Amino acid sequence: MSVLVSVVVPMYNEADVLPLFVARLRPVLESLPDETSNGSARYEVIAVDDGSRDQTPVVLQRLLREWPQLRVIRLRANAGHQAAISAGLWRASGAWVVTLDADLQDPPETIAEMMALARSRELDVVYGVRTDRSSDSRFKRLTARAFYAGIRAAGATDAPAGAGDFRLMSRATVDAVNALPETHRVLRLVVPSLGFPSATVGYRREARAAGSSKYPLTTMMRVSVDAFTGFSLAPLRLATWFGLGGFAASVLLLAYAVAAKLGGYTVAGWTSTVVIVAAVGAVQLLCLGVLGEYVGRIYSTLQRRPAYYLAYDSAAKVPFERDHVPSEGHD
Ligand code: UDP
Ligand code: MG
């Protein structure tokens, strides 16, 4: 292993905040305990430019010249926060990998604390947990709470409450995530689902240092749908439950119809009609539910569309070919 810590930073139109971000991140990384006696580098920073349309690539090129530990990756189009992190994880070489936002909402100083905890307790994952979200908008907190309540009710995760995408992962964890075939991953559910030894570190969610949030409601909804379909068959299972309920109801109806017939309270033909309609309806729903289960499984297996395409990598040995779309792994 040549690098101790890789820091993966997804960024989309973050030119305003980048200088502030670097000024805070760099001292933290330079002062990490140096235990790399084999001469390996202490850290690398992988900035994933998620197809920014502002000055972000220009600022990154300037930074490249004065910061040897920086590696810049640019995606061809805006692929989204999660895909950008995935692109960085795929290329991170560190024994430890930290993912954090570029907007300084996740304080870089916490990285040292995460590292110390992970090493002293031999953990695979240390989650940054927001103990104070007062800097987030009311709407953001409310929707976040609703999302986690829903996903928990569906039994899809046991992720620590308040954990976002600020986390430290061991090499084994990153390898495990990279090896997963799914492309549209929601990492805050994927990582806990591995069940590796983990702990949490609390931190205060700061206000964005500059620029504005890149997470409109539509994106939040798309990530939520990805989370549900990726981690839960509960929506599909609803049909099965309806079917079972319908089946139970039709059995009761059958008993009632037969009793009514025996009691002689019916007109001819009523019993058979009701029983047939109820039973067939129930069986149809049940079959639909079962079908849904299988379609859901096939669907998730087939979802191998790449989550992003690469446009540039500052660490590429040969000049990057614009026409070449790499197909390695999830790229
Ligand atoms: N981001 C990204 N691609 C996107 C949207 C966001 O790489 O399509 C980055 C963004 O630059 C930031 C992080 O993801 O570093 C979190 O985004 P943001 O701060 O806008 O989200 P919020 O904190 O408002 O939830
Ligand atoms: Mg933010």
Side-chain angles (χ1 to χ4, degrees):
M1 203 71 58
S2 61
V3 184
L4 177 64
V5 191
S6 301
V7 180
V8 172
V9 193
M11 47 189 78
Y12 178 55
N13 295 347
E14 301 288 9
D16 292 344
V17 84
L18 267 179
L20 303 168
F21 175 68
V22 172
R24 256 183 78 187
L25 177 65
R26 202 167 170 179
V28 170
L29 296 176
E30 311 261 308
S31 63
L32 280 177
D34 193 5
E35 294 173 24
T36 49
S37 48
N38 56 359
S40 62
R42 227 180 282 181
Y43 71 88
E44 66 175 349
V45 173
I46 302 184
V48 185
D49 174 1
D50 186 11
S52 298
R53 289 159 198 272
D54 68 348
Q55 293 295 303
T56 302
V58 181
V59 178
L60 285 174
Q61 284 302 321
R62 210 157 48 218
L63 285 167
L64 266 178
R65 268 179 257 138
E66 64 194 44
W67 199 5
Q69 288 90 345
L70 179 67
R71 175 173 175 185
V72 174
I73 286 165
R74 185 170 160 82
L75 306 187
R76 275 173 191 258
N78 179 237
H81 185 205
Q82 299 294 313
I85 297 179
S86 288
L89 288 186
W90 188 260
R91 290 167 181 81
S93 62
W96 299 95
V97 180
V98 177
T99 55
L100 88 164
D101 291 353
D103 58 5
L104 286 174
Q105 289 201 281
D106 310 327
E109 294 75 19
T110 311
I111 295 174
E113 202 183 324
M114 289 173 157
M115 282 287 292
L117 186 67
R119 291 167 131 193
S120 67
R121 289 178 42 195
E122 295 188 10
L123 301 169
D124 274 307
V125 187
V126 178
Y127 299 100
V129 167
R130 296 168 274 215
T131 49
D132 177 357
R133 290 191 74 156
S134 52
S135 62
D136 279 333
S137 73
R138 209 192 157 96
F139 178 72
K140 183 108 194 166
R141 289 193 307 241
L142 230 115
T143 47
R145 199 172 317 148
F147 168 70
Y148 283 107
I151 203 99
R152 263 172 225 284
T157 188
D158 48 2
D165 279 303
F166 183 25
R167 72 178 86 74
L168 172 79
M169 290 169 279
S170 65
R171 170 71 1 217
T173 311
V174 175
D175 286 346
V177 170
N178 284 340
L180 294 174
E182 62 191 303
T183 43
H184 295 263
R185 331 169 165 133
V186 179
L187 287 156
R188 53 184 74 179
L189 299 182
V190 166
V191 176
S193 76
L194 297 172
F196 290 1
S198 66
T200 59
V201 161
Y203 73 96
R204 193 175 169 281
R205 184 86 163 155
E206 290 169 35
R208 199 174 226 289
S212 58
S213 173
K214 312 297 181 303
Y215 254 94
L217 184 63
T218 46
T219 317
M220 268 157 58
M221 282 169 65
R222 205 177 59 219
V223 173
S224 306
V225 170
D226 276 347
F228 269 99
T229 52
F231 277 85
S232 170
L233 292 177
L236 287 174
R237 226 158 252 158
L238 273 182
T240 313
W241 286 114
F242 282 143
L244 285 174
F247 183 70
S250 80
V251 168
L252 291 180
L253 209 62
L254 182 87
Y256 168 69
V258 171
K261 167 89 180 160
L262 292 178
Y265 311 127
T266 52
V267 287
W270 178 82
T271 315
S272 53
T273 310
V274 164
V275 167
I276 289 168
V277 167
V280 168
V283 170
Q284 268 178 345
L285 268 180
L286 189 69
C287 293
L288 212 66
V290 173
L291 215 65
E293 297 274 344
Y294 284 96
V295 172
R297 277 179 176 75
I298 295 166
Y299 180 55
S300 54
T301 316
L302 285 182
Q303 274 181 326
R304 296 208 55 179
R305 274 168 296 157
Y308 62 87
Y309 293 100
L310 204 67
Y312 165 79
D313 182 352
S314 67
K317 300 221 170 27
V318 286
F320 213 80
E321 282 178 48
R322 284 234 25 114
D323 298 339
H324 171 66
V325 178
S327 55
E328 96 193 51
H330 297 286
D331 288 356

